[in-house]
């Protein structure tokens, strides 16, 4: 010992002694920042931005889960920082009690937390990029690879991580400041041992929480559309999102009930698990907060993984149900390969075409109801337009030949073609006029019902309608080739070949000119009418224009394969390329699943460790009172079970019910593909449950080892 | 040396306010070894925490030496705690990451004044309290009695005006308790230290010059030690018995 021993050096030594606690803080902070950095890096990458249509449901889902993960990480980080300070407080308090002033302690304390926070945050942010790169390329290596999956980063994502980093710094500095400014030094010293009991509510809070949760979800889901209908507005006001608030209150009450009372009744054995229940109760505040975050993250992870079966099952079943191997439409003014060319191509691949048929269709303008915004920019009213949108149109005779059904359409009426589940969005019963867009010949009409087809080319937007033969003949008069088109269908005699389908697909794309390189959203009728009125068509606005056209050079991209209006229905191509053409979407949701589940499990693991280690003196006392290792291990298991089980079950149940609601709410029915998807989702929940159970076992084993129970 | 005059202190728990000290008056002379006793909830620890400037008090005056603690700045109170008061806690409050030598020297380290004299004093105190052999050990490696004697040594390193001890024998077995009380005795006799100790232990209190009995936040009675330790302990026990019967 000599004069060079300073408070700084002593604090350095104390930091070394407390490195275990610092390590936990570093780990939590690093993990949170890495997750945020990886998620935002992926979300803002051009790869994902291109694949996820702006304003589309998939992007909204991705954003919502990101916000959920962000909230989870914020709570998790705040918890880790609080934990670090709780351990640090005794040391701080002793130094304060022995006369170290705030001014004396502040510089080293702030230096330490700034160093720890910055080090863990910056390394977390940096690690996020290799983390996502490794996962993404593992996906490519082991699951799917496509040209779309070239992962690029856009450093626009950095502000999110940096904002989070600033939040971490602000919170830790504020906590340090708060500790230094406590007037009661004894409180600082004893902070580590202060319990955090939750405010108990009666046993009613569990059932009431379930009701509130259900009410919040239902109100949040249906409230905005109900409001729009009642108030005649296009978009619900932002405050309508508050309708979800009861769901969060409900979630809190359920977790509170689980921590305070448990979901089992102890009437017959009031002393059963009393120790673990009481230990949980007195660590309640943080436990409840953690459990809410875990429930939300598990819900987010399930939401991500459910996307895959829900998307895949519907598509695969649809492809399998196609009555013909090849089915495609094209405009009559395009130089599409004729029958002999296609047959020769098939021959080249050793195939023989059978059942070749070609049918004519025309594109007409149909009347409909449009929403007109009022001057206040909020309310709207509905108006009927005689010419509103385009639709493919078949004659009664063509439909009979195409479908084999003996359908009759009365003159002055039309039928809409829909899919087997009758969920096609292009069915519109409001048209009262049909117009030839060249001669402007117009006839009055009336909706007369639906006809069913298994080809998405006929049921996707802009849809297809059937007219009485006489009405059709009248309206085709004077139509130019660009308003006419053909439908081709054929089968392969024997086993089909992917190479043929792929070559024919590329031939079709290569033979189609730029005027047909448009998406399903492109409506020539609506554009023509709007332009004729001297207005700009909404689809020509700079923000919308990119979503109206497809690029034939990106023939393998999701946007081309899912968006092109003339995309053919080739069974073998669709079946083989489904994963390829949706790979980025599937991978993003798979990534969301992994990240959310990983975060949830890390939080559970950390929380269990904290509860057990904070209560280690109780375990020591119990051991002295003669408790056997089996008894102590049972107590550890009981505590960990509550932390893992309740939020997992609640998260999984909530999201499963929400998915049923979403699928049902789409078209007010659950069709076969949706039911199968829900069964698969149930199976996935089982697998997730097993993963959670394994981590729970690992946590218990680890705690038992740390507490030296065995 | 220590003057406590009309001291009031209350705590708030939710909507309820609990008056713990209700006008406490007493003083401790230089070189005196005084114990404060009383039943649980009588305000002993609160009184000691107020004197230590660990918690602010509502009303009254505390004077140590020439300094009135009321209305002093945080920085001044910290400096005062460091240089003029020595502390001994029930649960020792040694810093786990430092050796016993470093723990003893902590009040000096806070001042950045670890001179060879201070090190010499640390060694002397260690020798006085029989802990020389554990100076380079860490708190986790020594017994409770040794920890508390190290805490007593720490409390003396700055030659404080007064040592405040809160239940110093509360966590110790009888042998260790005796060693700690003897350490206080050594500090008093060899260094002329002034000691104010809160305790439940009548045996420990019987070594003191005077015992102040607290009841319901006020001074109930003060008893002087006539020189016979055993007799004084008996007197204490009967006074406590009588006090407990007066509900």
């Amino acid at each position: 010992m000599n004069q060079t021993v300073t408070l700084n050096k002593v604090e350095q030594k104390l930091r070394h002694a407390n490195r275990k606690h610092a390590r936990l803080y570093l780990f939590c902070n690093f993990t949170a920042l890495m997750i945020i950095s990886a998620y935002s890096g992926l979300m803002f990458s051009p790869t994902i931005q291109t694949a996820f249509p702006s304003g589309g449901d998939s992007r909204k889902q991705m954003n919502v889960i990101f916000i959920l993960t962000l909230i989870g990480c914020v709570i998790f980080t705040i918890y880790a920082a609080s934990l670090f300070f709780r351990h640090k407080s005794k040391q701080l308090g002793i130094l304060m009690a022995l006369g170290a002033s705030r001014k004396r302690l502040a510089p080293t304390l702030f230096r330490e937390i700034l160093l720890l926070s910055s080090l863990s945050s910056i390394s977390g942010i940096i690690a996020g990029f290799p983390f996502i790169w490794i996962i993404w390329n593992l996906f490519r290596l082991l699951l799917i690879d496509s040209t779309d999956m070239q992962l690029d980063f856009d450093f626009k994502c950095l502000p999110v991580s940096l904002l989070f980093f600033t939040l971490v710094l602000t919170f830790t500095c504020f906590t340090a400041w708060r500790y230094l400014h406590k007037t009661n030094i004894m409180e600082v010293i004893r902070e580590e041992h202060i319990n955090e009991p939750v405010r108990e509510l009666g046993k009613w809070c569990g059932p009431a929480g379930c009701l509130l949760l259900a009410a919040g979800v239902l109100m949040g889901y249906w409230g905005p559309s109900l409001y729009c209908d009642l108030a005649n507005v296009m978009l619900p006001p932002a405050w309508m999102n508050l309708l979800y608030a009861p769901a969060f209150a409900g979630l809190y009450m359920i977790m509170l009930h689980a921590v305070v009372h448990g979901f089992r009744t102890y009437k017959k054995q009031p002393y059963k698990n009393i120790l673990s229940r009481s230990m949980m109760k007195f660590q309640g505040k943080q436990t409840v907060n953690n459990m809410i975050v875990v429930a939300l993250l598990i819900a987010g992870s399930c939401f991500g993984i459910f996307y895959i079966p829900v998307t895949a099952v519907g598509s695969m079943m649809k492809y399998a149900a196609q009555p013909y191997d090849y089915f495609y439409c094209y405009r009559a003014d395009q130089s599409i390969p004729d029958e002999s060319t296609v047959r020769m191509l098939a021959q080249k691949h050793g195939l023989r075409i059978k059942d070749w048929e070609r049918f004519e269709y025309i594109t007409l303008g149909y009347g409909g109801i449009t929403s007109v915004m009022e001057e206040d920019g909020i309310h709207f009213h509905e108006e009927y337009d005689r010419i509103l949108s385009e639709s493919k149109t078949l004659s009664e005779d063509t439909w009979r030949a195409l479908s084999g059904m003996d359908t009759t359409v009365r003159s002055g009426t039309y039928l809409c073609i829909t899919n087997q589940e009758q969920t096609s969005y292009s069915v519109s019963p409001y048209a009262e006029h049909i117009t030839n867009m060249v001669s402007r010949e117009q006839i009055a009409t009336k909706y007369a019902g639906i006809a069913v087809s298994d080809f998405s080319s006929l049921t996707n937007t802009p849809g297809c309608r059937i007219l009485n033969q006489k009405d059709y003949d009248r309206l085709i008069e004077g139509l130019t080739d660009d308003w006419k088109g053909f439908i081709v269908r054929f089968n392969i005699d024997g086993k089909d070949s992917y190479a043929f389908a792929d070559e024919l697909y590329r031939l079709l794309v290569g033979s189609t000119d730029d005027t047909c390189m448009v998406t399903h959203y492109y409506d020539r009728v609506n554009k023509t009418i709007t332009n004729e009125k001297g207005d700009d068509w909404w689809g020509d606005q700079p923000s919308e224009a990119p979503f109206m056209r497809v690029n034939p050079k990106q023939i393998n991209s999701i946007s081309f394969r899912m968006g092109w209006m003339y995309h053919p229905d080739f069974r073998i191509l669709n079946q083989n390329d489904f994963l390829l053409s949706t790979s980025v979407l599937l991978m993003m949701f798979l990534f969301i699943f992994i990240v959310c589940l990983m975060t949830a499990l890390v939080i559970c693991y950390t929380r269990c460790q904290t509860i057990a280690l904070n209560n280690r003196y109780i375990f020591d006392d119990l051991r002295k009172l003669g408790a056997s290792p089996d008894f102590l291990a049972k107590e550890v298991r009981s505590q960990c079970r509550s932390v893992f089980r309740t939020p997992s079950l609640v998260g999984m149940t909530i999201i499963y019910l929400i998915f049923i609601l979403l699928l049902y709410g789409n078209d007010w029915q659950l069709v076969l593909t949706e039911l199968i998807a829900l069964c698969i989702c149930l199976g996935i929940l089982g697998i997730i449950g097993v993963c959670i159970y394994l981590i729970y076992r690992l946590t218990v084993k680890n705690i038992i080892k740390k507490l030296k129970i065995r | 040396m220590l003057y406590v005059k009309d001291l009031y202190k209350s705590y708030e728990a939710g909507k309820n306010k609990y008056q713990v000290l209700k006008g406490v008056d007493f003083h401790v002379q230089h070189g005196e070894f005084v114990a404060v006793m009383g039943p649980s909830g009588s305000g002993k620890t609160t009184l000691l925490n107020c004197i230590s400037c660990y918690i602010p008090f509502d009303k009254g005056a505390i004077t140590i030496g020439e300094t009135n603690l009321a209305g002093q700045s945080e920085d001044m109170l910290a400096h005062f705690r460091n240089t003029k008061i020595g502390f001994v806690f029930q649960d020792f409050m040694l810093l786990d990451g430092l050796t016993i030598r470093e723990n003893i020297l902590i009040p000096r380290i806070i001042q950045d004044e670890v001179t060879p004299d201070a090190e010499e004093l640390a060694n002397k105190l260690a020798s006085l309290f029989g802990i020389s052999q554990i100076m380079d050990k860490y708190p986790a490696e020594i017994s409770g009695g040794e920890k508390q004697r190290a805490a007593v040594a720490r409390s003396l390193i700055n030659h404080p005006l007064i040592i405040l001890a809160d239940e110093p024998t509360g966590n110790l077995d009888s042998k260790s308790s005796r060693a700690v009380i003897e350490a206080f005795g050594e500090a008093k006799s060899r260094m002329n230290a002034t000691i104010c100790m809160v305790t439940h232990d009548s045996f420990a209190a019987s070594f003191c010059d005077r015992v102040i009995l607290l009841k319901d936040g006020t001074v109930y009675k003060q008893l002087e030690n006539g020189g016979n330790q055993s007799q004084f302990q008996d007197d204490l026990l009967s006074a406590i018995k009588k006090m407990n019967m007066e509900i």
Side-chain angles (χ1 to χ4, degrees), chain A residues 92-284:
Chain A
L92 267 180
I94 292 174
L95 291 172
M96 285 160 90
L98 295 175
S101 66
R102 285 174 200 156
K103 281 182 192 163
R104 193 82 180 76
L105 293 171
T108 39
L109 179 65
F110 280 105
R111 205 179 307 133
E112 181 183 1
I113 57 163
L114 286 175
L115 184 77
L116 286 178
S117 305
S118 307
L119 196 74
S120 54
S121 301
I122 292 169
S123 51
I125 292 172
I126 294 169
F129 293 98
F131 172 70
I132 179 64
W133 190 87
I134 290 167
I135 290 191
W136 193 261
N137 284 296
L138 273 177
F139 287 163
R140 291 181 73 179
L141 188 72
L142 303 173
L143 299 173
I144 320 158
D145 196 6
S146 76
T147 49
D148 280 342
M149 288 187 69
Q150 184 61 46
L151 185 64
D152 298 317
F153 290 114
D154 183 334
F155 289 98
K156 274 182 199 157
C157 64
L158 278 178
V160 179
S161 307
L162 293 176
L163 199 72
F164 194 89
F165 173 38
T166 316
L167 182 93
V168 169
L169 285 187
T170 312
F171 178 77
T172 44
C173 288
F174 172 73
T175 313
W177 180 88
R178 202 167 56 90
Y179 271 94
L180 286 176
H181 283 77
K182 278 193 177 176
T183 48
N184 189 336
I185 293 174
M186 295 314 288
E187 225 175 66
V188 181
I189 293 175
R190 300 207 170 105
E191 178 80 20
E192 195 181 6
H193 300 292
I194 293 173
N195 285 317
E196 316 161 300
V198 276
R199 195 174 159 192
E200 279 193 42
L201 296 174
K203 283 196 171 180
W204 53 267
C205 80
C210 292
L211 284 176
L212 270 177
L213 183 65
V217 170
L218 293 175
M219 285 197 306
Y221 183 72
W222 275 307
S225 55
L226 195 67
Y227 177 85
C228 290
D229 288 348
L230 293 175
N232 270 352
V233 292
M234 290 274 196
L235 293 169
W239 63 261
M240 292 295 282
N241 289 321
L242 288 176
L243 290 174
Y244 282 107
F248 289 96
L251 193 59
Y252 176 80
M253 287 164 78
I254 292 171
M255 296 305 160
L256 186 70
H257 186 92
V259 168
V260 176
H261 306 293
F263 279 101
R264 290 168 65 180
T265 172
Y266 292 96
K267 273 183 187 167
K268 285 183 183 170
Q269 292 169 294
Y271 300 109
K272 196 175 179 186
N273 292 337
I274 194 166
L275 292 168
S276 61
R277 280 189 283 143
S278 72
M279 279 188 247
M280 287 287 287
K281 206 186 287 185
F282 283 95
Q283 304 276 326

Side-chain angles (χ1 to χ4, degrees), chain A residues 1 13 103-104 184-185, chain B residues 54-55 75 102 112 119:
Chain A
M1 225 5 113
K13 204 171 171 191
K103 281 182 192 163
R104 193 82 180 76
N184 189 336
I185 293 174
Chain B
Y54 290 158
I55 56 173
D75 282 347
E102 289 162 336
D112 268 345
E119 286 185 75

Side-chain angles (χ1 to χ4, degrees), chain A residues 69-87:
Chain A
T69 313
L70 203 63
I71 295 171
C73 287
V74 167
I75 296 177
F76 178 46
T77 314
I78 288 176
Y79 162 67
S82 314
L83 205 65
F84 174 71
F85 277 105
R86 274 170 74 88
H87 292 304

Side-chain angles (χ1 to χ4, degrees), chain A residues 2-52:
Chain A
N2 55 46
Q3 280 187 334
T4 55
V5 177
T6 61
L7 188 58
N8 286 353
K9 284 195 174 172
V10 162
E11 283 178 334
Q12 209 173 348
K13 204 171 171 191
L14 290 172
R15 270 201 298 277
H16 181 73
N18 292 335
R19 63 191 181 282
K20 195 173 68 185
H21 303 307
R23 233 175 0 226
L24 183 70
Y25 175 61
L26 282 170
F27 169 72
C28 293
N29 222 13
F30 173 83
T31 310
L33 261 301
M34 188 180 76
I35 285 165
I36 295 299
S37 162
Y39 200 145
S40 58
L42 197 54
M43 215 168 76
F44 284 95
S45 80
T47 319
I48 299 297
Q49 290 287 317
T50 315
F52 282 67

